[in-house]
Structures are given as C-alpha cells and as structure tokens.
C-alpha cells in the first residue's frame, strides 16, 4: 500500500509539474519534451558552488545515419530568464572547445580551480547575467562531441561545420521550445570569425520564410579577435609584431619583401622567414603579449590556433617547468585545471557527457582533427550580405593579442569600404578608458584596452559591459560613468 501511495504521489507531482511548467512558459510543451529537458538537467556538479539558475547539458544528434552528435552546455540567465535573449557562444581553432575555453575560462558561470579535489569557482562576470547562455562543442571530434562514422573526421571543414551547427540549433529549439521566441544572437572568437558568419548566413537564408516551422528569431552576431580575411589577418599579424617590438627590423623587412599574403601560396623563401617569426612566440604568449606564460610540470594543453595560409600550422604549447601563479587574478595555467576537471569521470557523469566512451581524453583542441577541407580566404562577402540583410553586427578586438591583432582587424574592416557614422571614440568602464569604438554604416567595431585574444579572460568586467550593450543595441558610454 505504501509503495502504491509513493507511485501515486510521484504521478500527481509529475502532472502538476507539467501543468505548472506549461503555464509558466506560456508555450505548448509536451510531456515528452519536458522529459527530454529533465534528462539533460544538471542539478549540481562536483565542487560546484550553489546557484539559483538552471543548467542543462547533453547531446543533440545532427546526423542520425552517421551517428553524429554535438555536445552542449546551457545556462539559464541569472534573473528573469524568460525575458532575456538567448546567446550561443562558439570558440574556433578550428578544432577547439567552446566549453573548455568559453565556459570554463572566459565567460561561463563556472571556472575549474587548481585543487586535488574537483572545485569550481563562480565567475562574477558570467555572461548569463546578460542572457541565456548556450555553449556548443563543434564540429564533431571536438571535446565531447562525437561521430560513429570515423570518415566524418577526415571530411571536416567550414561547410559541414556550419550545416551541423544549424541542424543542432533546429533540434535544440525542438528540445527547448520555450526559448524559440526569444531574441537569438551568436558570439565567438578567433576562427569563429568563420563559424559565426557562416552559421548566421544559414539561419538568415532559412528565415526568408517567417512561417517556416524552424524559424529562428535571429537578430545579430558579435565576433572578437576574429579570423576574417587571410591577406589582412597575415599582414596585420606581422605589422603588429614589428610595431610592438616582438621582431627585428631585419626580419620584418625580409617578411614584407619575400611574402605576398594576397596570394594563396607562399614561396619557400617566405616560409623560412615566417618560421623565424613564429619561433619568437615560443618564448612569449602570442595570444597575450604582456601576460606571463604557464610553467607547469603537467602542462600539455594548447591554445586556439589559426594558420597563415600555406605555411606550416603552428602549435604554441606551454613550456614545461615549475608551476607558479601570478598576481593580478590572471592565471596562465587555468587550462590545466580545466583539462583535469573535465576528464574526471564523476564530472562527465554529472554533465551527461562521454556517454559513448570516446577512446581519447577530453582536450581543449582536438588532436584528431588534422585535415580541414574548406575555408574561404575571406569572410567579407558573407559579412557584406548580412549587413545588407539588416543584422546587428559588432566586431571587437583585445589590443594585446598577437594572433589576430587589432591591426589585422582594422585592415580587414577597411576592405569593407563602409561609411563612418561615428569616428574613433573612447568608451569607459567607470572612470577608466575601456577602449575605443568606431561605428560604421552597418557594423560597430570596439577595442578592449589591455585584453588578449580571449577578451573575457583578461578584461571580464569590460567584456560583460560589452555584451550587455551589444544585446541591448546601445552605444558604449563615451564619458566616465
């Protein structure tokens, strides 16, 4: 009798939950969909501080035949989540994890800590204070995302990545239909300068028919320190290095006379000089010129890397040595803590991750992705199309990044030939200059003073201010506040 009573109470509770949820969401959500959401609910992670917002993690299948599934981690906004926009964050690489970098070290709620036991720190500048926040590990082969068809890995490129990400979104909204009506935005950095505009274009084209059942309420995108144009990315990278006293006059002269970045392939003489250039960044951090490097005996992670076209891909691994934690809040060994944390079985279980027992450990950037089939030399035609389509587009740049430096981005945006609505203007965080901004006809460019490649890591307060203004379509303050 007692067992029957317990079962009855459970059924009644479930029926009340479904009824209450439907009323609260204001949309029709089936019991099946609610069950799928509940299966992805993450109630508490090992070492996690208490929070009031909900989080979900799991897999969305993007190709049933091949067994391709992408892993996501979703955080509802910290307040009034049903009134806040939805923001998708993508890291680049290609082949690097949006969870490992974006969530765990830049703009997510939880940062793994250096501890013998699993431990997370609450990020006071998490972007879910401004939006419902969705992280995606894309393409397959990255992080916990997987495929049961091994040949898929050798066919990866920009096109399949965009298509799978678009399919992911369509299926994610079917699992979370209560967010379908929310204003939707995409943000990302580095090689996401390809991912974000390409995914945006697919959504934009699919949205031509507003009556389409998979219509997405897409409003715009924001990309930071973004790979956008091979010629200007490469030219700006070299010019920035010379201007910031990283390379000698002689090496700069040799590169600028022997290399022609407007061509798809470089000469052997150019490659020799570029190898000398890249060698300098083995002793300093290319992604943040003035930040300390990590010296750790167990450091084996690598940062996101995009390559100069037709040169040997460069991997800038951290140097082995003794671990040290610098003053000032920034810890160059944070990636080590993330890798340890996400490889813990109890963490993976709590995240509903690695359900297929992937035969390799989780890493920030996939060593399995060694071939990339397609990558346009320039994303500017897509940017122009989306500007004409009326999307909100912001481009931002941390000004101490040597990989896709502010110099590259300025050269790239100049190619667009846009009219200037409001010229170079300082913007403020409290009484301090946060950077500069220029408003073009159809695009806003923002610099973040003192920030490296991963802007939210180095300037978290300014980054949260940036995304809030982007989402609200407001100009950054041009006077001290």
């Amino acid at each position: 009798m007692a067992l029957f009573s317990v079962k009855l109470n459970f059924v009644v509770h479930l029926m009340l939950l479904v009824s209450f949820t439907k009323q609260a969401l204001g949309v029709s959500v089936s019991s099946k969909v609610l069950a799928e959401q509940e299966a992805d609910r993450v109630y508490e992670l090992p070492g996690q501080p208490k929070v009031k917002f909900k989080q979900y993690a799991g897999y969305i299948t993007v190709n049933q035949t091949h067994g391709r599934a992408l892993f996501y981690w979703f955080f509802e906004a910290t307040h009034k989540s049903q009134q806040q926009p939805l923001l998708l964050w993508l890291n680049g690489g290609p082949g690097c994890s949006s969870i490992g970098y974006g969530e765990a070290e830049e703009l997510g709620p939880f940062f793994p800590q250096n501890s013998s036991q699993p431990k997370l720190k609450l990020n006071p500048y998490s972007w879910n204070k401004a939006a419902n926040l969705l992280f995606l590990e894309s393409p397959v082969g990255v992080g916990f995302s997987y495929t049961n068809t091994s040949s898929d890995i050798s066919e990866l490129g920009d096109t399949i990545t965009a298509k799978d990400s678009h399919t992911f979104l369509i299926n994610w909204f079917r699992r979370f239909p209560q967010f379908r009506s929310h204003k939707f935005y995409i943000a990302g950095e580095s090689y996401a300068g390809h991912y974000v505009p390409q995914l945006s274009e697919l959504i934009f084209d699919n949205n031509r028919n507003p009556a389409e059942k998979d219509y997405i309420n897409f409003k715009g995108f924001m990309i930071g320190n973004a790979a956008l144009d091979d010629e200007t990315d490469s030219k700006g990278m070299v010019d920035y290095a010379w201007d910031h006293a990283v390379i000698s006059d002689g090496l700069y002269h040799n590169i600028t006379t022997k290399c022609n970045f407007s061509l798809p392939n470089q000469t052997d003489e150019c490659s020799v000089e570029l190898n000398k250039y890249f060698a300098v960044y083995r002793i300093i951090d290319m992604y943040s010129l003035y930040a300390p490097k990590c010296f750790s005996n167990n450091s084996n992670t690598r940062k996101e890397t995009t390559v100069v076209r037709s040169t040997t891909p460069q991997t800038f691994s951290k140097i082995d040595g003794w671990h040290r934690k610098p003053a000032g809040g920034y810890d160059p060994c944070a990636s080590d803590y993330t890798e340890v944390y996400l490889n813990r079985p109890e963490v993976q279980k709590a995240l509903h991750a690695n359900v297929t027992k992937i035969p390799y450990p989780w890493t920030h950037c996939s060593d399995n992705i060694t071939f990339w089939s397609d990558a346009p030399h320039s994303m500017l035609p897509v940017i122009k199309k989306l500007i004409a389509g009326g999307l909100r587009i912001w481009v931002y740049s941390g000004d101490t990044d040597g990989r896709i430096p502010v110099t590259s981005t300025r050269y790239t945006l100049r190619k667009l030939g846009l009219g200037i609505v409001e010229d170079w203007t300082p913007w403020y965080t409290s009484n301090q200059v946060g950077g500069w901004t220029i408003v073009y006809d159809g695009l806003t460019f923002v610099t973040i003073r003192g920030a490296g490649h991963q802007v939210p890591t180095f300037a978290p307060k300014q980054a949260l201010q940036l995304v809030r203004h982007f989402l609200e379509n407001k100009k950054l303050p041009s006077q001290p506040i």
Side-chain angles (χ1 to χ4, degrees), residues 296-314:
S296 170
N297 285 328
N298 62 354
S299 184
N300 57 6
T301 57
R302 66 186 174 99
K303 287 183 178 266
E304 293 185 64
T305 302
T306 53
V307 301
V308 177
R309 191 68 56 200
S310 303
T311 65
T312 303
Q314 304 292 323

Side-chain angles (χ1 to χ4, degrees), residues 115-254:
S115 173
S116 59
Q117 299 298 318
K119 183 180 180 183
L120 293 172
K121 174 186 177 182
L122 193 63
N123 174 18
Y125 300 103
S126 173
W127 285 15
N128 75 325
K129 292 190 173 185
N132 297 287
L133 192 54
L134 176 61
F135 296 93
L136 173 65
E137 291 196 303
S138 175
V140 292
V142 173
F144 294 125
S145 295
Y146 68 88
T147 176
N148 293 330
T149 307
S150 58
S151 60
D152 285 350
I153 302 297
S154 61
E155 296 173 359
L156 292 175
D158 281 16
T159 301
I160 189 64
T161 299
K163 287 181 178 178
D164 277 0
S165 295
H166 186 230
T167 301
F168 165 85
L169 280 175
I170 289 172
N171 292 336
W172 189 89
F173 277 116
R174 290 173 182 172
R175 186 172 298 180
F176 291 89
Q178 66 266 37
F179 290 98
R180 182 180 296 280
S181 63
H182 289 227
K183 292 179 179 179
F184 177 67
Y185 300 88
I186 310 175
E189 70 187 21
S190 196
Y191 198 78
H194 282 224
Y195 291 166
V196 173
Q198 289 165 336
L199 176 56
S200 297
E201 183 180 28
L202 281 181
I203 298 171
F204 178 81
D205 290 343
N206 194 66
N207 276 354
R208 291 186 185 279
N209 179 10
E212 184 74 33
K213 70 172 183 176
D214 290 317
Y215 179 87
I216 296 173
N217 190 18
F218 183 44
K219 298 300 182 182
F221 63 87
M222 180 171 71
I223 42 179
N225 293 84
L228 290 171
D229 183 90
D230 287 354
E231 179 187 10
T232 48
D233 287 348
S234 300
K235 173 178 166 51
M237 190 173 66
V238 174
D239 287 355
Y240 182 91
W242 176 80
D243 191 54
H244 285 73
V246 173
I247 60 174
S248 68
D249 293 355
L251 180 55
Y252 178 70
H253 174 267
N254 290 344

Side-chain angles (χ1 to χ4, degrees), residues 69-119:
L70 299 182
F71 183 78
Y72 79 91
W73 195 352
F74 172 61
F75 302 90
E76 290 190 356
T78 56
H79 67 287
K80 298 181 179 179
S81 64
Q82 292 307 312
Q83 300 175 24
Q84 302 301 329
L86 173 65
L87 178 68
L88 169 68
W89 174 266
L90 299 172
N91 279 87
C96 294
S97 169
S98 303
I99 286 170
Y101 286 115
E103 193 293 313
E105 297 167 28
E106 297 186 69
L107 55 112
F110 303 128
F111 288 178
Q113 299 297 288
N114 185 23
S115 173
S116 59
Q117 299 298 318
K119 183 180 180 183

Side-chain angles (χ1 to χ4, degrees), residues 10-48:
F10 174 78
V11 171
V12 171
H13 174 75
L14 182 60
M15 292 174 64
L16 289 172
L17 176 64
V18 170
S19 175
F20 173 78
T21 303
K22 288 181 178 179
Q23 293 176 22
L25 299 178
V27 296
S28 177
V29 181
S30 70
S31 300
K32 178 184 177 183
V33 168
L34 287 175
E36 290 176 345
Q37 292 182 19
E38 184 62 22
D40 284 359
R41 179 81 181 272
V42 178
Y43 280 93
E44 189 173 352
L45 292 161
Q48 177 199 306

